[in-house]
Amino acid sequence: MAEMLKTNPDKGIDDDDSNILDRKNVFGSNTYPRKKGRSFWRFLLDACRDTTLIILMVAAAASLALGIKTEGIKEGWYDGGSIALAVIIVIVVTAISDYKQSLQFQNLNEEKQNIQLEVVRGGRRVEISIFDIVVGDVIPLKIGDQVPADGILISGHSLSIDESSMTGESKIVHKDHKSPFLMSGCKVADGYGTMLATSVGIHTEWGLLMASISEDNGEETPLQVRLNGVATFIGIVGLVVAVSVLVILLVRFFTGHTEDDEGNVEFIAGKTSVGDAVDGAIKIFTVAVTIVVVAVPEGLPLAVTLTLAYSMRKMMSDKALVRRLSACETMGSATTICSDKTGTLTLNLMTVVEAYICGKKNDPPNATSALPPTIVSLLIESVAQNTTGSVFLPDGGKDVEVSGSPTEKAILQWGVNLGMNFEAVRSESVIIHAFPFNSEKKRGGVAVKRPDSEVNVHWKGAAEIVLAQCTRYMDSDGQLVPLHEEKMEYFKKAIEDMAAGSLRCVAIAYRPCEPDSVPTDEDDLAQWELPEGDLVLLAIVGLKDPCREGVRQAVELCVKAGVKVRMVTGDNLQTAKAIALECGILGSNADAEEPNLIEGKSFRAMTDAQRLEVCERISVMGRSSPNDKLLLVQALRKRGHVVAVTGDGTNDAPALHEADIGLAMGIQGTEVAKESSDIIILDDNFASVVKVVRWGRSVYANIQKFIQFQLTVNVAALVINVVAAVSSGDVPLNAVQLLWVNLIMDTLGALALATEPPTDHLMDRHPVGRREPLITNIMWRNLLIQAIYQVTVLLVLNFRGREILHLQHDSDERAKKVKNTLIFNAFVFAQIFNEFNARKPDEMNVFKGVTKNRLFMGIVGLTIVLQVVIVMFLGKFTTTTRLSWQLWLVSIVIGFISWPLAVVGKLIPVSQKPFSEYFTDIFASCGSRRRKEGGNEDE
């Protein structure tokens, strides 16, 4: 097969562009056609289905027909046409906004599919995108990987594949030369090996399946669900008010209590024509509809979509890929982060800095002059064969290229420094059986058949665990010496000293096997358990992995924000303690005592009740298995914590899934871990995890800003129109004007406030509780102060505006038009100024950082320009008239007063207890009093 595909099972294809391009042209690329997302026209159709807008369109049609009938086509189309045009603008703007968000989510979904993996080309391992794999590629596979193409197994050890994604059966399938076929999209459940790609893209079963599936972006986050509920409730209140106003106005109209601008009664029974009566009724109906328009806050769910889309895009540049939308907002509520050590808190750039060989410290660790040739040979054999990494020696005397996991790379580099020729050692002996590294047992081993037919079993893993299985060691003469108690204590002390210096300790041991004890039958060999006891210790090495720059500051920021950071690592407890002190997870040596430190096996052995008691105090868990991490997550969640967990291994999947927010590592993480996660940290850096917390809090804060802004507009407009309608039978803010206000507060307001970038101030607060109300007491205070101010000023203008503005000498129609235009203009400017207040609900300086948010400034500028155009040039459509510069100044001053008013309002203290709880207490006390009175009556 390899010969037919012009590839080499060991070295892969030639790594030149023309060869790869030819293969793509002949066999296709490893991509598949995606089903097209929803078109713009579908979004336009959805926007047209809004019930409120449909009612408005009916009202517009009726108004248009009556206007043309009574005033002729030249003058009569303005009222109905204006409403229709305003509705069309709202529909188009909503559709454009939704369509753009859909495209953003589509792009992020494509980013999720772009897996990075290693292939062998020209003899060296290179990292490429899964989309760049071609037929003929040789692909190394290890536990947790996704099979990236259809192919056949070249070689493998204990390789097991989870084919449930293709077959629907959860049975794990063992792969060997009898069953060598591998299907794209399946996951490596255990073992390791290499495969030859024979089909890619649409020519694979997985490609055909994926091409038939369209991406679904219909996920609703918990916050969206809550906001939909809030919007529905407010909409119902608005509808009830509108129906009440409709009934009151119709009763007033048909009982002869409604007068026109000249003071004439509009309806006189038996005298008014049917056409005039219907015309009057439709005008009243339009007034009621405008109340519904302004009452329904349909911008709330839109604001969530906008802020989530904006945050997801920005989080990508902060090295975080969001896989599940709900994680964005949940991360803002995180109260604890359970973090891995290696690669997350540390750099994952390991080097061997200490080595104990032949019963003593070998200084420097790669010196071989004082070592017997036997132990050097055994060490080199162990390092070269018991690994999933590789070493490539380029032509021309260039530096050796080492690939694999950071631990493997460090040990392979140490082997090269000892004089190892990787290819030569691998070709001299053959691996007959392997026990892949297991995070439960903390070690991995191989059985190697040498040229002389002897079999050596090599083990490598956690130093104290491998050491416990050793009974002998090799001395400086190359002799095997019993590992008596004194020497055992010496090695244990060496491990403790290295761990205290924050080194990862790895022991290398072997055991010669009698040929008779090794199965010869292939099936028996596949089931053979490698001997684990009676080992000969060859070396204990210490690997240095320095802390990441900025991690200490990130941990301190978490502490300030009320988020507890816990280290959960498979490493030695002493190593973990040293790193925790360095990173600031343990503040001092006083903190680095029990019960802040615990081993996984101790936690595992506790009862559920004991775990619940202890989990709060744990800062560092060492020698933990993935199951220990899962138990810790479960215990913390039962204690009411919102838990974020980092993970990279396949066995971390249950903990990532169980946590409120699963954070998989983008570089070291397996595909299984990534698929179980909510967010992928692309650079494996803890500082990026903290940035995700900031963004999560920003999402929640931005939604709250928008709620405060929109509800202020809702309350003010609703009260003004209802009071005016009930008292005088007319409204100062008509349908077209309110549709413009609706556009300001829904689409433009959401866009301006939902895209506020996160600030450091967000990390000065404690996490938002699971059940904390969306509208806080601070928001209620701000909202009510502004709404009361706007309602008071605008109602005074409505009822006393003619006298205040000295319009007594103007005609009634002219005076009414000027007064209503000023109310409309002042109302819009009040919202523009209040938009700045909404940026900082709990800070005095609402202008901080405003110039950096160009979108906010642009939207405010656009709103002002459009408002000037509407008032000055579109009067016939909006039933407004041009205002003098003095009245423009009055409008701006009315809006401006909201700024000092907001400052004064923030000086008013508010209770920590949510207002909703006061109502609950009142109802509860009323209920108990009623029950008590009922009891007295019974007596």
Side-chain angles (χ1 to χ4, degrees):
M1 181 70 80
E3 195 175 323
M4 290 169 70
L5 293 174
K6 295 185 173 62
T7 185
N8 184 302
D10 296 319
K11 296 187 176 180
I13 61 171
D14 292 334
D15 191 12
D16 66 83
D17 294 341
S18 61
N19 176 37
I20 291 164
L21 187 61
D22 287 345
R23 288 174 183 273
K24 283 185 178 179
N25 290 335
V26 174
F27 300 109
S29 62
N30 201 28
T31 56
Y32 40 86
R34 302 288 174 91
K35 270 200 170 183
K36 284 187 176 179
R38 296 167 72 202
S39 68
F40 172 73
W41 303 109
R42 286 287 301 277
F43 284 101
L44 202 66
L45 188 64
D46 283 351
C48 290
R49 288 175 178 154
D50 185 275
T51 311
T52 313
L53 295 180
I54 290 169
I55 294 168
L56 273 173
M57 287 301 277
V58 171
S63 181
L64 194 64
L66 279 165
I68 292 169
K69 175 177 167 288
T70 54
E71 298 177 41
I73 195 160
K74 197 171 183 181
E75 296 290 331
W77 70 275
Y78 283 120
D79 281 354
S82 301
I83 296 171
L85 184 64
V87 168
I88 289 166
I89 290 170
V90 169
I91 287 170
V92 170
V93 170
T94 304
I96 290 170
S97 176
D98 288 348
Y99 180 61
K100 284 186 73 178
Q101 304 320 315
S102 170
L103 289 179
Q104 277 192 16
F105 289 131
Q106 209 170 308
N107 293 337
L108 285 165
N109 277 328
E110 285 177 15
E111 192 66 39
K112 291 177 199 173
Q113 310 296 330
N114 188 12
I115 299 165
Q116 298 296 310
L117 43 74
E118 285 187 336
V119 296
V120 179
R121 288 182 178 172
R124 61 150 60 95
R125 288 195 188 187
V126 291
E127 191 173 272
I128 62 168
S129 163
I130 191 171
F131 303 136
D132 294 330
I133 283 176
V134 293
V135 169
D137 264 327
V138 172
I139 307 161
L141 298 172
K142 61 182 183 300
I143 185 169
D145 283 353
Q146 178 176 312
V147 179
D150 283 1
I152 52 173
L153 184 68
I154 297 171
S155 64
H157 299 286
S158 305
L159 187 66
S160 299
I161 304 291
D162 178 1
E163 295 184 348
S164 58
S165 58
M166 290 302 299
T167 63
E169 295 179 18
S170 56
K171 186 181 175 185
I172 303 297
V173 182
H174 182 70
K175 295 292 175 180
D176 53 27
H177 75 275
K178 292 179 182 177
S179 173
F181 299 105
L182 299 163
M183 285 190 290
S184 177
C186 300
K187 302 290 188 299
V188 180
D190 199 7
Y192 58 92
T194 53
M195 67 171 279
L196 174 66
T198 56
S199 300
V200 294
I202 198 70
H203 303 296
T204 67
E205 287 295 321
W206 179 255
L208 287 169
L209 178 69
M210 294 307 287
S212 66
I213 297 171
S214 58
E215 290 289 353
D216 178 25
N217 294 322
E219 176 196 354
E220 275 203 330
T221 72
L223 194 54
Q224 279 175 316
V225 172
R226 285 175 73 182
L227 282 173
N228 283 332
V230 171
T232 304
F233 174 73
I234 295 170
I236 290 168
V237 171
L239 193 63
V240 169
V241 171
V243 170
S244 305
V245 169
L246 180 65
V247 170
I248 291 166
L249 291 184
L250 286 173
V251 169
R252 281 176 59 108
F253 180 77
F254 287 111
T255 55
H257 289 85
T258 306
E259 297 176 350
D260 61 16
D261 294 339
E262 280 78 36
N264 301 319
V265 175
E266 288 194 355
F267 180 84
I268 300 171
K271 292 184 179 179
T272 305
S273 67
V274 174
D276 289 343
V278 171
D279 190 12
I282 284 176
K283 283 182 180 175
I284 289 169
F285 176 70
T286 309
V287 168
V289 170
T290 59
I291 290 170
V292 176
V293 170
V294 78
V296 177
E298 62 265 34
L300 289 179
L302 172 67
V304 183
T305 308
L306 282 168
T307 193
L308 287 172
Y310 169 77
S311 301
M312 284 172 76
R313 192 173 72 249
K314 290 292 185 182
M315 283 164 80
M316 274 292 288
S317 59
D318 275 344
K319 305 298 182 187
L321 171 63
V322 178
R323 295 188 72 253
R324 292 188 181 88
L325 274 179
S326 55
C328 276
E329 59 196 56
T330 312
M331 197 65 191
S333 302
T335 57
T336 185
I337 301 171
C338 298
S339 174
D340 285 335
K341 176 183 75 69
T342 307
T344 309
L345 297 167
T346 62
L347 279 169
N348 222 357
L349 295 174
M350 297 194 188
T351 47
V352 174
V353 294
E354 284 190 35
Y356 285 79
I357 309 172
C358 295
K360 62 181 188 297
K361 189 172 182 178
N362 196 50
D363 198 11
N366 54 359
T368 56
S369 56
L371 301 177
T374 315
I375 200 164
V376 174
S377 173
L378 284 167
L379 275 172
I380 286 173
E381 182 179 88
S382 180
V383 168
Q385 294 287 21
N386 191 13
T387 183
T388 54
S390 71
V391 178
F392 175 72
L393 187 62
D395 297 330
K398 293 179 183 175
D399 288 342
V400 168
E401 294 177 13
V402 181
S403 61
S405 71
T407 305
E408 296 283 11
K409 282 165 75 175
I411 293 173
L412 282 169
Q413 186 62 57
W414 178 64
V416 169
N417 297 343
L418 288 174
M420 175 181 72
N421 183 325
F422 186 76
E423 291 296 335
V425 177
R426 298 274 288 199
S427 59
E428 280 173 9
S429 52
V430 60
I431 298 171
I432 57 172
H433 190 56
F435 177 88
F437 180 85
N438 184 303
S439 55
E440 292 285 343
K441 292 198 169 184
K442 305 287 183 196
R443 61 186 181 274
V446 291
V448 176
K449 192 171 187 179
R450 304 182 66 165
D452 55 7
S453 295
E454 286 185 7
V455 174
N456 285 340
V457 173
H458 290 281
W459 286 97
K460 177 179 72 185
E464 68 270 29
I465 293 173
V466 173
L467 179 63
Q469 301 296 323
C470 294
T471 56
R472 294 169 291 172
Y473 73 98
M474 194 173 284
D475 65 12
S476 50
D477 297 325
Q479 301 299 312
L480 296 183
V481 181
L483 196 57
H484 48 73
E485 192 176 334
E486 188 181 332
K487 204 65 184 175
M488 181 66 88
E489 288 302 317
Y490 170 79
F491 285 126
K492 285 181 180 176
K493 180 73 168 60
I495 292 168
E496 283 177 17
D497 290 345
M498 285 192 285
S502 69
L503 302 186
R504 169 176 278 192
C505 304
V506 176
I508 298 169
Y510 96 109
R511 169 180 166 164
C513 272
E514 295 296 326
D516 298 343
S517 64
V518 180
T520 52
D521 180 73
E522 196 172 317
D523 291 333
D524 291 342
L525 188 63
Q527 300 300 319
W528 182 43
E529 287 191 11
L530 294 181
E532 296 181 358
D534 195 23
L535 303 182
V536 177
L537 181 67
L538 296 177
I540 298 173
V541 293
L543 287 71
K544 180 70 176 173
D545 186 13
C547 261
R548 282 183 181 272
E549 193 178 341
V551 159
R552 190 176 185 90
Q553 290 86 337
V555 170
E556 286 168 357
L557 192 62
C558 281
V559 172
K560 189 174 80 165
V563 182
K564 168 85 172 171
V565 181
R566 305 168 202 271
M567 182 196 290
V568 184
T569 177
D571 251 348
N572 183 306
L573 193 58
Q574 291 301 316
T575 307
K577 173 183 170 181
I579 292 288
L581 283 165
E582 199 176 331
C583 294
I585 291 172
L586 295 173
S588 64
N589 279 309
D591 292 336
E593 303 297 335
E594 292 291 349
N596 290 339
L597 305 172
I598 194 168
E599 281 206 339
K601 63 182 180 183
S602 305
F603 189 72
R604 199 183 317 145
M606 293 177 181
T607 63
D608 287 348
Q610 287 172 325
R611 280 197 288 268
L612 279 176
E613 188 183 338
V614 166
C615 68
E616 286 277 7
R617 300 195 297 268
I618 295 172
S619 295
V620 177
M621 185 184 284
R623 283 287 176 246
S624 69
S625 69
N627 192 51
D628 299 330
K629 188 185 279 189
L630 176 62
L631 290 172
L632 178 62
V633 170
Q634 288 171 338
L636 288 168
R637 290 193 73 206
K638 283 177 185 173
R639 290 295 299 258
H641 283 281
V642 178
V643 185
V645 167
T646 70
D648 52 14
T650 301
N651 291 340
D652 285 329
L656 289 169
H657 186 75
E658 176 73 19
D660 295 284
I661 314 101
L663 303 156
M665 298 298 110
I667 299 170
Q668 291 302 316
T670 63
E671 287 311 308
V672 173
K674 289 175 189 175
E675 287 202 0
S676 299
S677 70
D678 303 300
I679 296 172
I680 299 172
I681 304 299
L682 299 174
D683 62 352
D684 292 15
N685 191 344
F686 184 78
S688 298
V689 175
V690 180
K691 286 177 185 174
V692 173
V693 174
R694 285 177 88 226
W695 276 110
R697 292 188 175 194
S698 177
V699 167
Y700 202 85
N702 286 352
I703 298 303
Q704 288 187 314
K705 291 171 190 176
F706 179 69
I707 290 172
Q708 179 182 307
F709 171 67
Q710 184 169 46
L711 291 189
T712 305
V713 185
N714 282 124
V715 170
L718 196 62
V719 173
I720 291 163
N721 267 13
V722 168
V723 171
V726 171
S727 59
S728 64
D730 201 1
V731 288
L733 299 168
N734 63 38
V736 177
Q737 292 169 359
L738 284 176
L739 279 170
W740 166 233
V741 171
N742 217 34
L743 201 62
I744 294 172
M745 70 183 186
D746 278 0
T747 307
L748 297 180
L751 203 57
L753 292 169
T755 54
E756 279 280 313
T759 61
D760 292 336
H761 178 68
L762 291 169
M763 298 302 278
D764 292 334
R765 309 171 184 170
H766 278 262
V768 176
R770 288 180 193 270
R771 290 180 173 79
E772 189 168 313
L774 265 177
I775 308 173
T776 63
N777 291 0
I778 288 173
M779 290 166 66
W780 277 119
R781 178 196 64 194
N782 299 345
L783 183 160
L784 291 172
I785 287 170
Q786 294 296 333
I788 290 166
Y789 163 68
Q790 290 178 23
V791 167
T792 305
V793 171
L794 298 181
L795 282 180
V796 167
L797 282 176
N798 186 57
F799 294 113
R800 292 284 176 266
R802 193 165 183 179
E803 293 83 5
I804 294 168
L805 301 173
H806 307 296
L807 299 172
Q808 295 96 328
H809 304 298
D810 292 18
S811 67
D812 288 346
E813 188 182 350
R814 164 76 184 162
K816 183 180 176 184
K817 219 170 191 182
V818 170
K819 179 197 74 175
N820 284 356
T821 303
L822 178 63
I823 289 171
F824 168 56
N825 207 37
F827 186 64
V828 169
F829 272 95
Q831 310 325 318
I832 291 169
F833 280 88
N834 194 37
E835 207 160 354
F836 285 85
N837 292 331
R839 289 185 68 245
K840 308 282 181 184
D842 56 350
E843 292 181 61
M844 289 293 183
N845 184 5
V846 296
F847 308 107
K848 190 177 178 183
V850 72
T851 52
K852 292 178 184 175
N853 190 345
R854 292 178 183 174
L855 185 61
F856 182 91
M857 296 302 290
I859 286 169
V860 168
L862 178 68
T863 308
I864 293 169
V865 169
L866 289 174
Q867 180 64 16
V868 171
V869 170
I870 285 168
V871 172
M872 300 303 285
F873 305 107
L874 300 176
K876 284 199 172 182
F877 291 99
T878 54
T879 323
T880 56
T881 186
R882 292 188 176 189
L883 296 176
S884 64
W885 69 266
Q886 292 96 335
L887 292 182
W888 274 101
L889 196 60
V890 169
S891 303
I892 293 167
V893 168
I894 289 171
F896 177 81
I897 290 171
S898 71
W899 284 352
L901 192 67
V903 172
V904 172
K906 284 168 188 173
L907 297 173
I908 301 170
V910 292
S911 168
Q912 294 294 315
K913 186 178 179 180
F915 287 156
S916 56
E917 289 185 18
Y918 286 108
F919 291 114
T920 307
D921 292 347
I922 290 166
F923 290 132
S925 62
C926 288
S928 63
R929 194 180 298 123
R930 200 174 292 118
R931 283 193 300 274
K932 196 176 286 182
E933 287 168 1
N936 291 338
E937 285 170 13
D938 292 341
E939 285 170 15

